[in-house]
Amino acid sequence: MDNRGERVAVYPGTFDPMTMGHVSLIKRGCEIFDRVIVAVANDTPKSPLFSITERVAMAEEVFKDVPQVTVEPFSGLLVEYAERRGAHVILRGLRAVSDFEYEFQLALMNRKLKKHIQTVFLMTDYQWLYISSTIIKAAGKLGGDIKGLVPDNVYRKLREKYGYPYPLN
């Protein structure tokens, strides 16, 4: 794909589920880049709660009114996907120092594989510092009220998946 003159970033993740931390980072990415591709990873060592189709559909619904954002599934090496999509930037979020070491290793490996693709890190907004998809799923599974920590459509899907009524009673 030819994106000459367009600043395109790929924001990869499993998004199982997408949190408000992800949403915040993507929207902030839209302030820096002309287009942000939300790349939903099919290949993951994790055991996702939601299928790749469900994760893509939920993310598409979240960003349906944001023309700068494209949501796509991807498989294989991230840098090869980014190159195919004409992106020169991989956008990553950092919550805490503990994220940095892992993200730094990934960025260095990606740089080794494709030198022309840069990794740009954005710090999370402080209000989302403590949340992760894993923590959201754990609380949701036990019936915890996670409203406001995930987009409304994701909240509904989590409640349905775990067999709880929507809205929260």
Side-chain angles (χ1 to χ4, degrees), residues 1-3 6-11 26 29-30 32-38 67-72 81 85-87 89 91:
M1 176 167 230
D2 186 6
N3 295 317
E6 192 177 39
R7 295 168 304 170
V8 180
V10 170
Y11 181 54
I26 293 163
C30 287
I32 300 167
F33 301 101
D34 298 316
R35 194 158 53 96
V36 175
I37 301 170
V38 176
Q68 275 177 271
V69 175
T70 304
V71 179
E72 301 176 345
Y81 169 78
R85 300 302 289 127
V89 172
L91 181 61

Side-chain angles (χ1 to χ4, degrees), residues 9-12 25 29 32-33 88-94 103 107 117-123:
V10 170
Y11 181 54
L25 199 110
I32 300 167
F33 301 101
H88 290 90
V89 172
I90 295 170
L91 181 61
R92 298 295 293 168
L94 293 173
E103 291 294 343
I117 297 178
Q118 304 298 321
T119 300
V120 172
F121 296 103
L122 289 180
M123 297 303 300

Side-chain angles (χ1 to χ4, degrees), residues 124-138:
T124 190
D125 285 332
Y126 71 92
Q127 67 199 41
W128 312 122
L129 186 65
Y130 66 96
I131 66 168
S132 69
S133 295
T134 302
I135 290 171
I136 293 294
K137 287 186 289 192

Side-chain angles (χ1 to χ4, degrees), residues 15-79:
F15 305 109
D16 186 48
M18 179 167 280
T19 69
M20 292 308 292
H22 294 130
V23 172
S24 171
L25 199 110
I26 293 163
K27 287 182 176 179
R28 290 170 52 217
C30 287
E31 294 173 9
I32 300 167
F33 301 101
D34 298 316
R35 194 158 53 96
V36 175
I37 301 170
V38 176
V40 183
N42 191 36
D43 302 322
T44 175
K46 302 173 185 175
S47 297
L49 175 64
F50 294 101
S51 71
I52 186 75
T53 304
E54 289 172 310
R55 290 181 279 140
V56 168
M58 286 187 286
E60 285 177 333
E61 187 176 338
V62 170
F63 293 103
K64 68 182 180 219
D65 296 324
V66 185
Q68 275 177 271
V69 175
T70 304
V71 179
E72 301 176 345
F74 87 98
S75 294
L77 282 174
L78 174 60
V79 288

